[in-house]
Amino acid sequence: MTELVSLDEVRAARDLLDGVVRTTPLEPSRPLSAALGGPAWLKCENLQRAGSYKVRGAYVRISRLSEAERAGGVVAASAGNHAQGVALAAGLVGIHATVFMPVNAPLPKVAATKGYGAQVELVGNTVDESLVAAQAFAERFGAVLIHPFDHRDVIAGQGTVALEILEQCPEVRTIVTGVGGGGLVSGMAVAAKALRPDVRVIGVQAASAAAFPPSLAAGEPVRLPSFSTIADGIAVGRPGELTFTHVRKLVDEVVTVAEEDISRALLMLLERGKQVVEPAGAVGVAALMSGAVQVETPVVAVLSGGNIDPLLMLRVIEHGLAAAGRYLRVTVRCSDRPGQLASLLGEIAEHRANVVDVEHQRANPHLRLGEVEVALSVETRGVAHSDSLISALRASGYQVVFAAEV
């Protein structure tokens, strides 16, 4: 029977991390507080060294290696945040690190990992595949594998986030955090339940990469046959043995959120919270915004990471605007005669929507002779405004053949 990590282990990890990691701020969120009817706070681990909480567990694990183990260096597998945490921790301890990352890992995360001094190998399409390569490397060269979540030292290190939360917000009733392999939520649950058994600890996964719900239902870790999500930091196909035991015994609930929910949360955090957060770091906020979970306030949502590719940020912002009804792609068919395009644009302007992009298409074989198709990207003020605009265009005789948020 697996023994759970203890509060003493988490406290010992905090002592090790003193002067190594920063105590990240706890910021109030007015939009969330208004929506939930009570105080809501954001634990800003996106502002942690290396951009996420991962350095906590990585440093605790690496700093406890023996001299013989350090001589062989360390190896890890990660989509980015654990990679950077291991690279930074190894550099602080003074040992060599090799990190295996998926071939599609975000370029800024790859560059940052190299910048911290690690050797990066791009192998596989998922973290699970990279982990297999890392394990083979460890066996071949004698390097110590620093698992991203399934180790006592790693769990203890991540649990220090909860110690800070309980000090910064003693009245907290609910803690919500994203879940991939389960290291963060496991460690936080250890600390929270030991010190405040009344505090609910809730994990959140992306619905398209949620391995914990079926695993909890089965009573053992279950591997997903496939998974894909914009939240690459929590895209893990199977819970760890150790983390599964912790989640099953200590975590009150694990819920899921859709990709659109994550996009909306990222947009709100950027626009209202002035926080740059990666998709995996925003799933807790997504759960609160979408109503995926009912919580008692005060509630703390952990922003677990801020390492987002700028290109992904552009796509996510657009997707978030669309999900919020503020960015509309609409295709209109109308007669191909002089002044028709100006009339169409005038109609849109009258409804105070802003045209971002226009594509005029005559070559579509589905068009009738004398008919033209106009594809428009339009900024609106929300779902009601978008619906009103579409209704007005149809009322004016325009054939809206496709109107969708993208």
Side-chain angles (χ1 to χ4, degrees):
M1 187 173 180
T2 304
E3 182 182 350
L4 299 183
V5 171
S6 68
L7 176 62
D8 285 343
E9 288 176 87
V10 178
R11 284 174 166 162
R14 187 175 194 179
D15 291 339
L16 272 176
L17 292 169
D18 185 32
V20 175
V21 302
R22 62 175 301 199
T23 299
T24 52
L26 192 71
E27 297 289 342
S29 173
R30 292 181 61 186
L32 282 180
S33 296
L36 299 173
W41 301 82
L42 305 174
K43 178 59 171 170
C44 300
E45 283 295 293
N46 57 313
L47 303 179
Q48 184 56 266
R49 295 185 69 177
S52 85
Y53 70 94
K54 285 287 192 175
V55 66
R56 296 174 183 263
Y59 184 84
V60 173
R61 175 78 173 100
I62 292 172
S63 67
R64 288 176 170 167
L65 296 178
S66 67
E67 288 301 322
E69 290 173 322
R70 294 185 184 194
V74 295
V75 62
S78 167
N81 287 345
H82 181 59
Q84 292 174 71
V86 167
L88 173 58
L92 292 172
V93 174
I95 61 177
H96 180 71
T98 303
V99 179
F100 287 81
M101 304 178 74
V103 294
N104 58 350
L107 292 179
K109 293 185 177 183
V110 174
T113 303
K114 291 179 178 178
Y116 286 120
Q119 177 182 334
V120 174
E121 302 289 344
L122 301 179
V123 176
N125 295 311
T126 66
V127 176
D128 288 11
E129 293 177 7
S130 298
L131 183 57
V132 171
Q135 290 168 331
F137 180 93
E139 292 173 3
R140 181 179 179 186
F141 296 104
V144 176
L145 177 68
I146 308 301
H147 199 281
F149 48 84
D150 214 30
H151 191 279
R152 300 184 70 85
D153 289 340
V154 172
I155 292 173
Q158 320 306 28
T160 60
V161 176
L163 294 182
E164 292 178 14
I165 290 173
L166 294 173
E167 292 172 357
Q168 293 168 319
C169 185
E171 67 278 16
V172 64
R173 299 289 299 171
T174 311
I175 298 174
V176 184
T177 188
V179 177
L184 176 61
V185 75
S186 294
M188 292 180 66
V190 167
K193 293 298 183 179
L195 294 170
R196 285 279 308 281
D198 59 306
V199 172
R200 294 188 73 222
V201 178
I202 298 171
V204 185
Q205 295 202 287
S208 54
F212 266 99
S215 296
L216 292 170
E220 62 182 5
V222 172
R223 182 174 297 281
L224 296 176
S226 63
F227 53 94
S228 176
T229 174
I230 60 171
D232 63 284
I234 55 172
V236 178
R238 182 184 184 276
E241 297 289 342
L242 187 56
T243 55
F244 174 78
T245 300
H246 282 75
V247 171
R248 183 178 59 179
K249 293 185 177 180
L250 298 176
V251 175
D252 294 282
E253 190 175 2
V254 177
V255 301
T256 63
V257 291
E259 302 293 284
E260 291 76 13
D261 299 328
I262 301 172
S263 295
R264 289 191 189 98
L266 284 167
L267 183 63
M268 187 279 286
L269 288 166
L270 183 64
E271 191 172 38
R272 300 291 304 278
K274 318 307 177 190
Q275 297 282 349
V276 176
V277 182
E278 63 186 281
V283 294
V285 172
L288 296 175
M289 289 177 60
S290 66
V293 62
Q294 301 301 311
V295 300
E296 289 185 72
T297 59
V299 59
V300 174
V302 180
L303 306 183
S304 58
N307 296 313
I308 183 169
D309 186 332
L311 293 176
L312 175 60
M313 180 181 285
L314 287 174
R315 294 196 296 271
V316 166
I317 289 173
E318 181 176 292
H319 193 273
L321 288 170
R326 292 168 53 191
Y327 187 82
L328 185 73
R329 289 294 301 272
V330 60
T331 302
V332 177
R333 287 181 182 175
C334 54
S335 59
D336 187 12
R337 56 184 174 80
Q340 185 63 64
L341 179 59
S343 297
L344 173 61
L345 296 178
E347 180 89 22
I348 294 172
E350 285 181 12
H351 283 78
R352 299 192 177 279
N354 183 47
V355 176
V356 178
D357 184 68
V358 179
E359 182 181 355
H360 207 248
Q361 176 65 261
R362 289 187 176 89
N364 190 330
H366 299 292
L367 293 173
R368 297 191 298 269
L369 186 64
E371 192 174 47
V372 67
E373 191 173 78
V374 182
L376 300 140
S377 300
V378 183
E379 292 176 343
T380 66
R381 295 190 298 274
V383 174
H385 189 203
S386 296
D387 291 344
S388 173
L389 175 61
I390 293 170
S391 297
L393 291 175
R394 286 173 171 157
S396 297
Y398 295 104
Q399 183 184 4
V400 182
V401 294
F402 173 73
E405 296 167 0
V406 295

